[in-house]
Each structure stands twice: as structure tokens, then as C-alpha cells.
Amino acid sequence: MTARSKTRRGLPLTSTSIEKIFPKLTPAQIDRIKAHGHIRAVQRGEVLVEQGDTSVPFFVVIAGELEILRPFGADETLVTVHSSGQFTGEVNTLSGRKSFFRVRAAKSGKVIELKHQQMLTLVQTDAELGSILMRAFILRRVELIAAGVGDIVLIGSTHSAGTLRIKEFLMRNGHPYSYIDLDRDPDVQNMLDSFQISVSEIPVLICRGQVVLRDPSNQEIADCLGFNESIDQTQVRDLIVIGAGPSGLAAAVYGASEGLDVLVLETSSPGGQAGSSSRIENYLGFPTGISGQELASRAYLQAQKFGAEILISKATQLICDRKPYVVEVEGGGRISARTVVIATGAQYRKLPLENLSRFEGTGIYYGATFVEAQLCGGDEVIVVGGGNSAGQAAVFLAQTTKRVHMLVRSNSLADSMSRYLIRRIETSPTIVFRPNTEIVTLEGIDRLDSVYWRNNETGQTEQHKISHVFIMTGADPNTNWLDGCMVLDPKGFIKAGPDLSSEDLSSVNWPIKRQPYLLETSLPGVFAVGDVRGGSIKRVASAVGEGSIVISFVHKVLQE
Ligand SMILES: Cc1cc2nc3c(=O)[nH]c(=O)nc-3n(C[C@H](O)[C@H](O)[C@H](O)COP(=O)(O)OP(=O)(O)OC[C@H]3O[C@@H](n4cnc5c(N)ncnc54)[C@H](O)[C@@H]3O)c2cc1C
């Protein structure tokens, strides 16, 4: 689906479910929508939405035609045409983020117009229309991603760690983009040369055909795409959730659906560690498994549907000596809230190898998703670790690679991995289990070229020409930004609820009569859920469970 000609039919689709992507509403459904908005006459050529507008309205065509166009520089590509009974919108219409497209009347007629908030009320209150709209928005986004039709072009290389980072950032934020691979397209390299863009500035991102970003940070991309533009950072929130992994997203869904004003802060993209999982098979309700990415994007959309807002930014400090609490974000912004849920999870542990960071993203990976699997092609790979995440990665990579060497320091997997995964590893002809083994040296110039591993039982070291190593050796809590605000356990995880001893509470002068609620930290009104909490069960289901139940305690604190 690459050819994009300007025809009256718009872009070709990969899906055959056209009636679900572009449904025609019934007269009864249209009447129900009318009750939420107003009728507006439109003239041929009138622009109703411009590319880059935020919190755009939602339109249902009653008479005439609306064309959806993608402007790029001076050009315009026709994406689709909506006629009577059809409606505009895709995922950004729900989130209020910048519109990818221009909406223009192709024929004069009449439309129903719903402002952004009116459209949110419609999807929250009318179950039938809510599901028709949500399904169409998601399917339209899937088509845009498949077609690489967005408002940005990424120019990168498989040899650059930044390219992998940006691809993951865009993929996990569900943002469509076009990609040009410098290794395959020498003409583009010449073009970059003429703009004096050096190798160290790769990857390059062209944002909306205008702004050229050289090796941008995730924050710069979020700013350029206007991810955070529609969010009012001056308002005092009922609840700030920090971290959009499974626990934070669950807190956002439950909090927003129960009427709280919720803002979620996320450093990178929704999904957390779960988002880097190729297939989660033990999450209730998904008998054939679900990819972490898919679970996260559904939860993300669900949170937005209930009105939670998500700011792509890192919390750098909690100012905890006053109320309302203040969370400082990267770049210096400050957001106040009456309650805070910390759901910052954990980050991958690294191997103690001198030159490890040189190969991160170009041979050393911390997640095994479709993006990394594509980079490996049919090569041999190494997975390091003996836990469930390592087991899943090995099983997933065994489907596409030539051989998976699974390196663990202990002599068996029995204590650390689920039985179903051990069985799959044992029966896979592609996976070679190597106990008592650890990597001792990495070698390569531009990218990882050779790995040396040592068998600690025999003392023998071997060199292998392998360029892809997946490190899945557990994680440390993301709590160093909390800077003494609350009691942590010796490993740095947050202590909460009944785990806080009377000594813990007196050490911080716990200021109120009642004891901390379940999941409440040593700071009243600040809670910890999921992997970041000491003693939590490090699983998606328990993270979701904690994120869900914490909201009942948030309500109690808000009423105090
Ligand atoms: C590869 C892999 C596979 C797994 N497979 C399974 C499985 O099959 N089944 C299962 O039950 N469990 C699985 N797990 C474990 C599961 O993913 C975790 O237990 C779960 O994700 C924990 O959720 P969480 O929300 O507590 O934290 P996380 O998922 O760690 O999310 C924390 C989020 O907070 C963000 N964050 C951190 N610091 C900040 C900050 N300062 N400001 C803003 N945001 C911040 C992070 O970017 C992240 O998105 C797997 C884990 C991995 C790594």
C-alpha cells in the first residue's frame, strides 16, 4: 500500500472491513448524535479542520461531501471522502492531539458538528455509537500506520541506535510515519549531504513537512508533534498518575471513569515494560495471548475515552513539603495535584560490560518486539536471562531467527520461569539452552559483531559471530527521582500500606491520625502501585489490579 495517487476514492485500504472503517450511520443514530451538537451548513471549498489543529470537532455528513486531505508542503493527497451518513475522525480526534489532516467540503451541504468535549460525552454515554466510533477510529489509525501515512518522515539507518529508539517511540505511541532507510536509498544520503546533515545527526525527522529535527530526543518529538499541546498544565488536578505502564493506565481508566480529573505523566510511551513484551499469555481473558503493545494501546485509548489526559514528559521531582503536591517535569514545568499515584515501574538491569552502551540499539536490546525481530532477520541471536520475560523473548525470536542461544548463570530454569515456557523452550529445535554461562566481552566497530561467553563450570570461553543480544535480566525500581520524599525499602522500592512499620511512620512524622491506606506511601495522599511498590507481584494482572483498586483510596483521601 504505497501508491498514493490523488483519485476521488482516496488511499487504498489493507482491510476488507470497509463498512467498519467508514460506516454509514442509520437515521436513528444520526438523530441521537444531533442531540449532542448542532447542524451547520457548509459551502464547497470551506475548510472545517486544518492540519495541526488541536481538539478538533467531529462531523457527521447529512448532505454533501467532506474530503479528508493530507497536506505535505504545497501538495495535497486525498485520503478519503465522507458522504451522507458517514463521519470524520480518527484516534487524534478522541485524544485532542493535532489533526493529521485537513477536512474540506467537496460539495456544499449540511453537517452535524460536535465540539471535542461533546464528542467525548457521546462516546461515554451512548454505548452503541461509542463502539461504532471507537472501532472506526482505531481501524482508520491501523490503516494509516500500515500505509505509513502520517505527518512525519523518519530518515534513518539500521546501524543507528537513535533510529530504533524513534521507531519504537512512534510505534508505541501509535503514531503513523513514513520511513526512508539510508542504507537502501543513496539518493536520500546525497540530499542529506546537500543539507550538511552529518552522520552523527542521523536519524532525521521531518515534522509536518516543515521542521527538520536532527537526532531528536523523545521529548523534542513529542513537542513537535504537539502531543502535549492540548493539555492545561496550570490546573490543579484531582490525581496525577506518574507512569503509563499497566498499573498507571489502570489507575487512569478507573479514576477518569469515576469522574476524577486525571493527568498521566509518561516519559516515553504508554505500555511500560509490558509494552516491550512480544506476547503476554497469562493475562486473563486473552486465551491466545496478546502483545504488550496491543494491550497498552487499547488501555491508552480507553483512558482517553473516559477523559484522562496523557502528557509525554518525565517527572523529575516530587515537591512533597506542601499541599497540593507539585510534580516537576522535564523542562521545568510544574503540575499540582491533590493526590498522586506513582506507577513508574522498573527499568532493565544492564550487564556489567565495559562497552555495552556503545551497542545499545545496534545489537543490544532490552525488549523483543516485532521491531527488534525485524532487525535480526534470520540471524542467530542470544537471549540473556532465566525469567519469564527471557523465556518469552526466546520463544518469540525462535519463530523468525536461525538459532536462539539462551544464556543463564544458574544451572536450571525451574526456579525462575513458568512451566509452560520451560516446556516450549525444551521442545523448540531452534533454542539452545546454555546454563552456567555468561557474556564476558562484546566486540564490533559500527555495530556488534562478536560475543564471547564463558561457561562458569568448565571455565571455557568461546567467541561467536553473533550481532544480536537480548538482555532480559530483571529490573530496578524507577524511584531515584523521589529524592527522600517517602520511605523506600533497601532495594529502592516504595514501601506502602501495611508494609510501613511504626518506626517508618515515625521517621517521617506521619502527620494524620489514621494509618496509611493499602497502597498509600508514607506521604498521605501519595500512593504506589505495580512494580515500583516493594513486595508487589511483578505481573501485568497484579499491576492492573493495584492500579484499579487504588482509586477507591484516592476517593477517600479527596473526601478527607
Ligand atoms: C519483556 C517483558 C515481558 C513480560 N511479560 C509478562 C507476561 O507475559 N505476563 C506478566 O504478567 N508480566 C510480564 N512482564 C512483567 C510486566 O510487564 C510488569 O510486571 C508490568 O509491566 C508492571 O507494570 P507497571 O505499570 O507497574 O510498571 P511498568 O510496566 O514498568 O511501567 C512504568 C512506566 O512508568 C514510566 N516512567 C518511569 N519513570 C517515569 C518518570 N519519572 N516520569 C514519567 N514516567 C515514568 C515508564 O516509562 C513506564 O512506561 C514482562 C516484563 C517484560 C520486561
Side-chain angles (χ1 to χ4, degrees):
M1 181 166 170
T2 48
R4 292 197 295 274
S5 59
K6 187 173 172 175
T7 68
R8 287 298 296 156
R9 297 187 50 210
L11 297 178
L13 300 171
T14 56
S15 165
T16 50
S17 316
I18 294 175
E19 70 292 349
K20 291 192 175 125
I21 304 176
F22 300 116
K24 244 188 181 350
L25 300 171
T26 64
Q29 290 166 339
I30 293 178
D31 280 345
R32 298 212 303 275
I33 297 178
K34 243 183 239 166
H36 288 267
H38 67 276
I39 305 268
R40 168 175 168 182
V42 291
Q43 301 307 318
R44 182 165 181 266
E46 186 180 340
V47 173
L48 281 70
V49 173
E50 191 48 274
Q51 186 190 44
D53 287 355
T54 52
S55 300
V56 301
F58 164 80
F59 298 100
V60 180
V61 182
I62 298 182
E65 273 182 1
L66 294 182
E67 52 187 4
I68 309 299
L69 302 150
R70 181 174 77 135
F72 205 85
D75 290 339
E76 250 179 9
T77 308
L78 181 70
V79 177
T80 195
V81 179
H82 297 304
S83 57
S84 145
Q86 294 184 310
F87 54 86
T88 59
E90 64 91 48
V91 170
N92 278 9
T93 316
L94 195 71
S95 64
R97 284 183 179 173
K98 283 185 178 176
S99 171
F100 296 145
F101 303 118
R102 175 177 295 153
V103 180
R104 190 168 59 202
K107 289 185 186 165
S108 301
K110 265 195 295 184
V111 296
I112 307 174
E113 176 173 358
L114 267 65
K115 302 275 177 238
H116 180 243
Q117 190 51 49
Q118 292 171 320
M119 194 265 305
L120 280 182
T121 307
L122 172 72
V123 296
Q124 286 164 14
T125 52
D126 189 318
E128 188 203 17
L129 282 167
S131 66
I132 293 172
L133 263 55
M134 294 285 281
R135 188 175 56 202
F137 290 173
I138 295 167
L139 293 175
R140 288 174 190 180
R141 178 57 70 94
V142 169
E143 288 295 332
L144 295 175
I145 290 174
V149 177
D151 45 1
I152 46 172
V153 180
L154 172 65
I155 303 169
S157 154
T158 43
H159 302 301
S160 107
T163 302
L164 177 66
R165 172 181 55 80
I166 294 176
K167 275 185 169 186
E168 279 191 341
F169 178 75
L170 295 171
M171 182 193 78
R172 289 181 57 174
N173 277 290
H175 197 95
Y177 65 97
S178 317
Y179 176 63
I180 298 173
D181 192 337
L182 277 172
D183 308 322
R184 294 195 190 152
D185 200 333
D187 292 344
V188 180
Q189 180 65 65
N190 294 340
M191 182 192 85
L192 293 184
D193 291 345
S194 65
F195 280 107
Q196 292 171 341
I197 295 176
S198 68
V199 174
S200 64
E201 293 170 316
I202 300 297
V204 169
L205 199 83
I206 303 175
C207 199
R208 288 165 203 280
Q210 292 161 358
V211 185
V212 178
L213 300 174
R214 300 165 189 223
D215 193 16
S217 66
N218 291 352
Q219 182 75 51
E220 285 172 312
I221 302 172
D223 290 344
C224 179
L225 295 177
F227 279 2
N228 300 334
E229 242 169 49
S230 56
I231 297 174
D232 178 1
Q233 299 189 24
T234 58
Q235 192 180 323
V236 179
R237 306 282 173 160
D238 292 332
L239 170 64
I240 290 188
V241 178
I242 305 169
S247 62
L249 286 172
V253 167
Y254 278 79
S257 69
E258 291 175 20
L260 299 180
D261 164 25
V262 182
L263 178 72
V264 183
L265 292 181
E266 168 54 52
T267 304
S268 152
S269 43
Q273 295 170 76
S276 65
S277 169
S278 45
R279 188 145 288 268
I280 298 167
E281 297 203 48
N282 55 358
Y283 189 57
L284 190 73
F286 295 90
T288 54
I290 180 165
S291 77
Q293 175 57 37
E294 202 183 336
L295 188 68
S297 46
R298 287 178 189 211
Y300 184 28
L301 212 63
Q302 202 173 4
Q304 288 177 328
K305 169 184 146 176
F306 288 119
E309 293 184 294
I310 302 190
L311 187 73
I312 301 293
S313 193
K314 183 176 185 166
T316 51
Q317 204 191 341
L318 177 64
I319 300 171
C320 53
D321 57 358
R322 72 187 78 155
K323 279 190 172 178
Y325 295 118
V326 174
V327 180
E328 210 166 86
V329 296
E330 210 162 40
R334 288 173 157 219
I335 306 163
S336 308
R338 286 178 271 276
T339 60
V340 178
V341 168
I342 299 173
T344 47
Q347 64 184 334
Y348 316 116
R349 216 167 274 153
K350 308 203 168 184
L351 294 183
L353 296 167
E354 205 187 316
N355 53 357
L356 184 86
S357 60
R358 197 145 65 85
F359 301 114
E360 283 175 337
T362 59
I364 296 289
Y365 316 106
Y366 297 96
T369 67
F370 180 67
V371 175
E372 288 84 8
Q374 268 187 327
L375 293 176
C376 300
D379 297 348
E380 290 194 33
V381 304
I382 295 172
V383 172
V384 182
N388 281 344
S389 55
Q392 279 176 3
V395 170
F396 172 65
L397 293 164
Q399 295 167 23
T400 49
T401 59
K402 185 170 162 198
R403 183 159 300 123
V404 179
H405 300 272
M406 195 166 181
L407 272 52
V408 296
R409 277 197 307 200
S410 62
N411 57 6
S412 97
L413 295 174
D415 294 338
S416 51
M417 195 180 286
S418 300
R419 280 247 291 281
Y420 81 95
L421 278 171
I422 297 180
R423 216 170 305 128
R424 284 200 203 158
I425 288 166
E426 284 169 351
T427 54
S428 168
T430 315
I431 303 176
V432 186
F433 176 56
R434 299 188 180 279
N436 306 306
T437 305
E438 62 184 305
I439 295 180
V440 286
T441 307
L442 302 172
E443 263 184 13
I445 299 169
D446 286 344
R447 48 169 302 126
L448 184 62
D449 188 40
S450 273
V451 175
Y452 293 72
W453 68 57
R454 183 179 61 219
N455 182 311
N456 289 332
E457 235 182 15
T458 63
Q460 210 176 348
T461 299
E462 297 170 17
Q463 180 194 8
H464 292 263
K465 285 265 173 211
I466 294 181
S467 308
H468 310 284
V469 177
F470 292 81
I471 300 178
M472 306 275 174
T473 50
D476 295 315
N478 284 321
T479 50
N480 43 15
W481 62 282
L482 287 167
D483 200 22
C485 271
M486 63 198 63
V487 177
L488 306 179
D489 74 11
K491 289 185 175 162
F493 290 88
I494 301 174
K495 282 180 105 174
D499 290 344
L500 287 161
S501 65
S502 45
E503 293 80 52
D504 288 333
L505 294 178
S506 55
S507 75
V508 291
N509 298 322
W510 174 255
I512 45 180
K513 265 200 185 139
R514 65 166 176 80
Q515 291 295 295
Y517 292 123
L518 187 74
L519 307 174
E520 192 171 25
T521 68
S522 57
L523 202 56
V526 177
F527 298 84
V529 293
D531 281 15
V532 77
R533 187 179 68 78
S536 70
I537 307 296
K538 310 294 188 253
R539 289 282 180 276
V540 175
S542 44
V544 169
E546 291 186 13
S548 313
I549 60 174
V550 76
I551 296 304
S552 60
F553 305 114
V554 166
H555 283 300
K556 286 188 181 179
V557 170
L558 289 173
Q559 281 157 17
E560 275 171 359

Short mmCIF file of all heavy atoms in Angstrom, two decimals, residues 242-248 265-267 269 271-274 276-277 279-282 313-315 343-346 348 389 392 472 478 481 529-531 538-540 543, ligand 1:
data_model
loop_
_atom_site.label_atom_id
_atom_site.label_comp_id
_atom_site.label_asym_id
_atom_site.label_seq_id
_atom_site.Cartn_x
_atom_site.Cartn_y
_atom_site.Cartn_z
N ILE A 242 1.77 8.89 37.72
CA ILE A 242 3.10 9.01 37.09
C ILE A 242 3.52 7.64 36.58
O ILE A 242 3.74 6.71 37.37
CB ILE A 242 4.11 9.60 38.08
CG1 ILE A 242 3.55 10.94 38.58
CG2 ILE A 242 5.47 9.80 37.41
CD1 ILE A 242 4.29 11.52 39.73
N GLY A 243 3.58 7.53 35.26
CA GLY A 243 3.90 6.25 34.62
C GLY A 243 2.67 5.67 33.95
O GLY A 243 1.61 5.57 34.58
N ALA A 244 2.81 5.33 32.65
CA ALA A 244 1.66 4.76 31.92
C ALA A 244 1.94 3.32 31.52
O ALA A 244 1.73 2.91 30.38
CB ALA A 244 1.33 5.62 30.69
N GLY A 245 2.45 2.53 32.46
CA GLY A 245 2.50 1.07 32.27
C GLY A 245 1.12 0.53 32.62
O GLY A 245 0.17 1.30 32.80
N PRO A 246 0.99 -0.79 32.74
CA PRO A 246 -0.33 -1.36 33.04
C PRO A 246 -0.95 -0.79 34.33
O PRO A 246 -2.14 -0.52 34.36
CB PRO A 246 -0.04 -2.85 33.21
CG PRO A 246 1.23 -3.08 32.47
CD PRO A 246 2.01 -1.82 32.52
N SER A 247 -0.13 -0.57 35.37
CA SER A 247 -0.73 -0.10 36.63
C SER A 247 -1.20 1.35 36.49
O SER A 247 -2.30 1.70 36.93
CB SER A 247 0.26 -0.25 37.79
OG SER A 247 1.40 0.52 37.57
N GLY A 248 -0.40 2.19 35.86
CA GLY A 248 -0.77 3.60 35.69
C GLY A 248 -1.97 3.75 34.78
O GLY A 248 -2.88 4.55 35.03
N LEU A 265 1.43 11.20 33.54
CA LEU A 265 2.74 11.61 33.00
C LEU A 265 3.47 10.36 32.55
O LEU A 265 3.52 9.38 33.29
CB LEU A 265 3.59 12.26 34.09
CG LEU A 265 3.16 13.60 34.64
CD1 LEU A 265 4.16 14.05 35.70
CD2 LEU A 265 3.11 14.59 33.52
N GLU A 266 4.02 10.38 31.37
CA GLU A 266 4.77 9.22 30.88
C GLU A 266 6.02 9.70 30.16
O GLU A 266 5.95 10.51 29.24
CB GLU A 266 3.87 8.37 29.96
CG GLU A 266 4.59 7.29 29.16
CD GLU A 266 5.42 6.32 30.00
OE1 GLU A 266 4.89 5.75 30.96
OE2 GLU A 266 6.62 6.14 29.68
N THR A 267 7.17 9.15 30.57
CA THR A 267 8.44 9.55 29.98
C THR A 267 8.50 9.29 28.49
O THR A 267 8.96 10.10 27.71
CB THR A 267 9.57 8.70 30.60
OG1 THR A 267 9.52 8.85 31.99
CG2 THR A 267 10.92 9.08 30.08
N SER A 269 6.41 6.25 26.26
CA SER A 269 5.18 5.88 25.55
C SER A 269 4.39 4.92 26.43
O SER A 269 4.98 4.20 27.23
CB SER A 269 5.52 5.22 24.22
OG SER A 269 6.57 4.32 24.39
N GLY A 271 2.48 1.83 28.03
CA GLY A 271 2.70 0.38 27.95
C GLY A 271 3.74 -0.13 28.92
O GLY A 271 3.70 -1.27 29.35
N GLY A 272 4.71 0.72 29.25
CA GLY A 272 5.74 0.33 30.21
C GLY A 272 6.48 -0.92 29.77
O GLY A 272 6.65 -1.17 28.57
N GLN A 273 6.90 -1.71 30.76
CA GLN A 273 7.62 -2.95 30.44
C GLN A 273 6.75 -3.89 29.63
O GLN A 273 7.22 -4.58 28.74
CB GLN A 273 8.02 -3.68 31.71
CG GLN A 273 9.00 -2.97 32.58
CD GLN A 273 9.10 -3.70 33.90
OE1 GLN A 273 9.72 -4.74 33.98
NE2 GLN A 273 8.49 -3.16 34.92
N ALA A 274 5.45 -3.90 29.96
CA ALA A 274 4.55 -4.81 29.25
C ALA A 274 4.56 -4.49 27.75
O ALA A 274 4.46 -5.39 26.92
CB ALA A 274 3.15 -4.71 29.81
N SER A 276 6.95 -3.87 25.96
CA SER A 276 8.08 -4.48 25.25
C SER A 276 7.94 -5.99 25.19
O SER A 276 8.85 -6.69 24.75
CB SER A 276 9.40 -4.08 25.92
OG SER A 276 9.44 -4.61 27.22
N SER A 277 6.81 -6.51 25.62
CA SER A 277 6.61 -7.96 25.60
C SER A 277 5.96 -8.36 24.28
O SER A 277 4.98 -7.75 23.86
CB SER A 277 5.72 -8.36 26.76
OG SER A 277 5.31 -9.68 26.60
N ARG A 279 4.46 -11.22 23.57
CA ARG A 279 3.17 -11.91 23.76
C ARG A 279 2.96 -12.20 25.23
O ARG A 279 3.75 -12.90 25.85
CB ARG A 279 3.17 -13.22 22.95
CG ARG A 279 1.81 -13.91 22.92
CD ARG A 279 1.55 -14.59 21.60
NE ARG A 279 1.31 -13.61 20.55
CZ ARG A 279 0.10 -13.16 20.20
NH1 ARG A 279 -0.97 -13.60 20.81
NH2 ARG A 279 -0.04 -12.29 19.23
N ILE A 280 1.88 -11.66 25.77
CA ILE A 280 1.52 -11.94 27.16
C ILE A 280 0.46 -13.02 27.12
O ILE A 280 -0.61 -12.82 26.53
CB ILE A 280 0.99 -10.66 27.85
CG1 ILE A 280 2.08 -9.59 27.85
CG2 ILE A 280 0.51 -10.94 29.25
CD1 ILE A 280 1.62 -8.20 28.21
N GLU A 281 0.78 -14.16 27.70
CA GLU A 281 -0.15 -15.29 27.55
C GLU A 281 -0.92 -15.59 28.82
O GLU A 281 -1.81 -16.43 28.83
CB GLU A 281 0.63 -16.54 27.12
CG GLU A 281 1.27 -16.33 25.76
CD GLU A 281 1.56 -17.62 25.04
OE1 GLU A 281 0.67 -18.46 24.97
OE2 GLU A 281 2.70 -17.76 24.57
N ASN A 282 -0.52 -14.93 29.95
CA ASN A 282 -1.18 -15.28 31.20
C ASN A 282 -2.10 -14.17 31.70
O ASN A 282 -2.44 -14.12 32.86
CB ASN A 282 -0.13 -15.61 32.28
CG ASN A 282 0.88 -14.47 32.46
OD1 ASN A 282 0.81 -13.47 31.76
ND2 ASN A 282 1.79 -14.64 33.40
N SER A 313 6.03 13.30 29.15
CA SER A 313 7.09 14.05 29.81
C SER A 313 7.54 13.27 31.05
O SER A 313 6.77 12.50 31.61
CB SER A 313 6.56 15.42 30.22
OG SER A 313 7.63 16.24 30.58
N LYS A 314 8.76 13.52 31.47
CA LYS A 314 9.30 12.78 32.60
C LYS A 314 9.09 13.55 33.90
O LYS A 314 9.38 14.75 33.95
CB LYS A 314 10.80 12.57 32.35
CG LYS A 314 11.47 11.76 33.41
CD LYS A 314 12.91 11.53 33.01
CE LYS A 314 13.57 10.62 34.00
NZ LYS A 314 14.82 10.10 33.53
N ALA A 315 8.62 12.86 34.93
CA ALA A 315 8.55 13.50 36.25
C ALA A 315 9.97 13.52 36.80
O ALA A 315 10.62 12.47 36.89
CB ALA A 315 7.63 12.71 37.17
N ALA A 343 3.44 5.13 39.59
CA ALA A 343 3.33 3.85 38.86
C ALA A 343 4.51 3.76 37.89
O ALA A 343 4.36 3.40 36.73
CB ALA A 343 2.01 3.80 38.10
N THR A 344 5.69 4.13 38.39
CA THR A 344 6.85 4.27 37.49
C THR A 344 7.59 2.97 37.23
O THR A 344 8.60 2.96 36.52
CB THR A 344 7.84 5.32 38.04
OG1 THR A 344 8.05 5.06 39.42
CG2 THR A 344 7.30 6.72 37.88
N GLY A 345 7.12 1.87 37.80
CA GLY A 345 7.66 0.56 37.46
C GLY A 345 9.16 0.44 37.67
O GLY A 345 9.74 1.02 38.61
N ALA A 346 9.78 -0.26 36.76
CA ALA A 346 11.20 -0.56 36.92
C ALA A 346 11.88 -0.45 35.56
O ALA A 346 11.23 -0.44 34.53
CB ALA A 346 11.33 -1.97 37.47
N TYR A 348 15.20 -1.83 32.99
CA TYR A 348 16.01 -3.03 32.77
C TYR A 348 17.38 -2.93 33.40
O TYR A 348 18.04 -1.91 33.33
CB TYR A 348 16.18 -3.29 31.27
CG TYR A 348 14.90 -3.11 30.51
CD1 TYR A 348 14.77 -2.12 29.55
CD2 TYR A 348 13.81 -3.92 30.79
CE1 TYR A 348 13.59 -1.94 28.87
CE2 TYR A 348 12.63 -3.74 30.12
CZ TYR A 348 12.51 -2.75 29.17
OH TYR A 348 11.33 -2.57 28.51
N SER A 389 10.35 -13.13 31.19
CA SER A 389 10.50 -12.23 30.04
C SER A 389 11.55 -12.79 29.08
O SER A 389 11.38 -12.73 27.86
CB SER A 389 10.84 -10.82 30.49
OG SER A 389 11.97 -10.82 31.29
N GLN A 392 9.93 -15.73 27.19
CA GLN A 392 9.03 -15.26 26.12
C GLN A 392 9.81 -14.77 24.92
O GLN A 392 9.45 -15.03 23.78
CB GLN A 392 8.22 -14.07 26.63
CG GLN A 392 7.06 -14.45 27.45
CD GLN A 392 6.40 -13.18 27.98
OE1 GLN A 392 6.80 -12.06 27.67
NE2 GLN A 392 5.39 -13.38 28.79
N MET A 472 17.59 -9.69 29.24
CA MET A 472 16.31 -9.78 29.96
C MET A 472 16.63 -10.26 31.37
O MET A 472 16.27 -11.37 31.75
CB MET A 472 15.41 -10.81 29.27
CG MET A 472 15.20 -10.55 27.81
SD MET A 472 13.86 -9.38 27.65
CE MET A 472 13.84 -9.05 25.94
N ASN A 478 12.17 2.55 39.41
CA ASN A 478 12.36 3.96 38.99
C ASN A 478 11.95 4.88 40.12
O ASN A 478 10.87 5.48 40.11
CB ASN A 478 11.47 4.25 37.78
CG ASN A 478 12.04 3.66 36.51
OD1 ASN A 478 13.25 3.69 36.29
ND2 ASN A 478 11.19 3.11 35.68
N TRP A 481 14.14 9.62 41.44
CA TRP A 481 13.66 10.99 41.29
C TRP A 481 12.83 11.43 42.52
O TRP A 481 12.51 12.60 42.65
CB TRP A 481 12.82 11.12 40.02
CG TRP A 481 11.59 10.25 40.02
CD1 TRP A 481 11.54 8.91 39.78
CD2 TRP A 481 10.26 10.65 40.33
NE1 TRP A 481 10.27 8.45 39.91
CE2 TRP A 481 9.45 9.51 40.24
CE3 TRP A 481 9.66 11.87 40.66
CZ2 TRP A 481 8.08 9.54 40.48
CZ3 TRP A 481 8.29 11.90 40.89
CH2 TRP A 481 7.52 10.74 40.80
N VAL A 529 1.80 1.91 43.11
CA VAL A 529 1.17 0.70 42.56
C VAL A 529 2.10 0.01 41.56
O VAL A 529 2.97 0.64 40.95
CB VAL A 529 -0.17 1.04 41.84
CG1 VAL A 529 -1.22 1.52 42.82
CG2 VAL A 529 0.02 2.07 40.73
N GLY A 530 1.89 -1.29 41.40
CA GLY A 530 2.63 -2.05 40.38
C GLY A 530 4.06 -2.34 40.80
O GLY A 530 4.40 -2.38 41.98
N ASP A 531 4.92 -2.52 39.81
CA ASP A 531 6.28 -3.00 40.04
C ASP A 531 7.12 -2.08 40.94
O ASP A 531 8.09 -2.52 41.54
CB ASP A 531 7.02 -3.17 38.70
CG ASP A 531 6.64 -4.46 38.00
OD1 ASP A 531 5.62 -5.07 38.40
OD2 ASP A 531 7.35 -4.86 37.06
N LYS A 538 5.31 -9.05 40.39
CA LYS A 538 5.71 -8.36 39.16
C LYS A 538 5.02 -9.00 37.94
O LYS A 538 5.64 -9.76 37.18
CB LYS A 538 7.24 -8.37 38.99
CG LYS A 538 8.01 -7.91 40.24
CD LYS A 538 7.78 -6.44 40.56
CE LYS A 538 8.68 -5.91 41.65
NZ LYS A 538 8.04 -5.67 42.93
N ARG A 539 3.75 -8.72 37.81
CA ARG A 539 2.95 -9.27 36.72
C ARG A 539 1.99 -8.20 36.21
O ARG A 539 1.59 -7.31 36.96
CB ARG A 539 2.10 -10.45 37.21
CG ARG A 539 2.89 -11.70 37.53
CD ARG A 539 3.26 -12.45 36.25
NE ARG A 539 4.02 -13.65 36.54
CZ ARG A 539 5.33 -13.71 36.75
NH1 ARG A 539 6.04 -12.61 36.67
NH2 ARG A 539 5.92 -14.84 37.00
N VAL A 540 1.56 -8.36 34.95
CA VAL A 540 0.63 -7.40 34.37
C VAL A 540 -0.68 -7.39 35.16
O VAL A 540 -1.20 -6.32 35.52
CB VAL A 540 0.35 -7.75 32.88
CG1 VAL A 540 -0.72 -6.84 32.31
CG2 VAL A 540 1.62 -7.66 32.06
N ALA A 543 -0.39 -5.65 38.48
CA ALA A 543 -0.20 -4.19 38.27
C ALA A 543 -1.55 -3.55 37.93
O ALA A 543 -1.91 -2.51 38.48
CB ALA A 543 0.81 -3.96 37.15
C1 LIG B 1 9.88 -8.32 28.19
C2 LIG B 1 8.89 -8.46 29.31
C3 LIG B 1 7.87 -9.41 29.22
C4 LIG B 1 6.92 -9.56 30.26
N1 LIG B 1 5.93 -10.49 30.12
C5 LIG B 1 4.98 -10.61 31.08
C6 LIG B 1 3.91 -11.56 30.93
O1 LIG B 1 3.84 -12.29 29.96
N2 LIG B 1 2.99 -11.63 31.90
C7 LIG B 1 3.02 -10.83 33.01
O2 LIG B 1 2.11 -10.93 33.83
N3 LIG B 1 4.04 -9.94 33.19
C8 LIG B 1 5.01 -9.81 32.26
N4 LIG B 1 6.05 -8.91 32.42
C9 LIG B 1 6.07 -8.09 33.65
C10 LIG B 1 5.10 -6.90 33.48
O3 LIG B 1 5.30 -6.30 32.22
C11 LIG B 1 5.29 -5.89 34.59
O4 LIG B 1 5.05 -6.52 35.83
C12 LIG B 1 4.31 -4.72 34.42
O5 LIG B 1 4.54 -4.07 33.19
C13 LIG B 1 4.45 -3.73 35.56
O6 LIG B 1 3.61 -2.66 35.29
P1 LIG B 1 3.83 -1.23 35.95
O7 LIG B 1 2.76 -0.37 35.40
O8 LIG B 1 3.91 -1.37 37.41
O9 LIG B 1 5.26 -0.72 35.50
P2 LIG B 1 5.97 -0.59 34.09
O10 LIG B 1 5.38 -1.52 33.11
O11 LIG B 1 7.42 -0.69 34.36
O12 LIG B 1 5.61 0.90 33.62
C14 LIG B 1 6.18 2.02 34.23
C15 LIG B 1 6.05 3.21 33.31
O13 LIG B 1 6.46 4.38 34.00
C16 LIG B 1 7.22 5.20 33.13
N5 LIG B 1 8.10 6.04 33.96
C17 LIG B 1 9.17 5.64 34.70
N6 LIG B 1 9.70 6.69 35.34
C18 LIG B 1 8.97 7.77 35.00
C19 LIG B 1 9.03 9.15 35.34
N7 LIG B 1 9.97 9.64 36.17
N8 LIG B 1 8.11 10.00 34.78
C20 LIG B 1 7.15 9.54 33.95
N9 LIG B 1 7.06 8.23 33.59
C21 LIG B 1 7.94 7.36 34.12
C22 LIG B 1 7.98 4.21 32.27
O14 LIG B 1 8.40 4.82 31.05
C23 LIG B 1 6.93 3.13 32.07
O15 LIG B 1 6.15 3.35 30.92
C24 LIG B 1 7.01 -8.74 31.42
C25 LIG B 1 8.05 -7.80 31.52
C26 LIG B 1 8.98 -7.65 30.49
C27 LIG B 1 10.08 -6.62 30.61
#
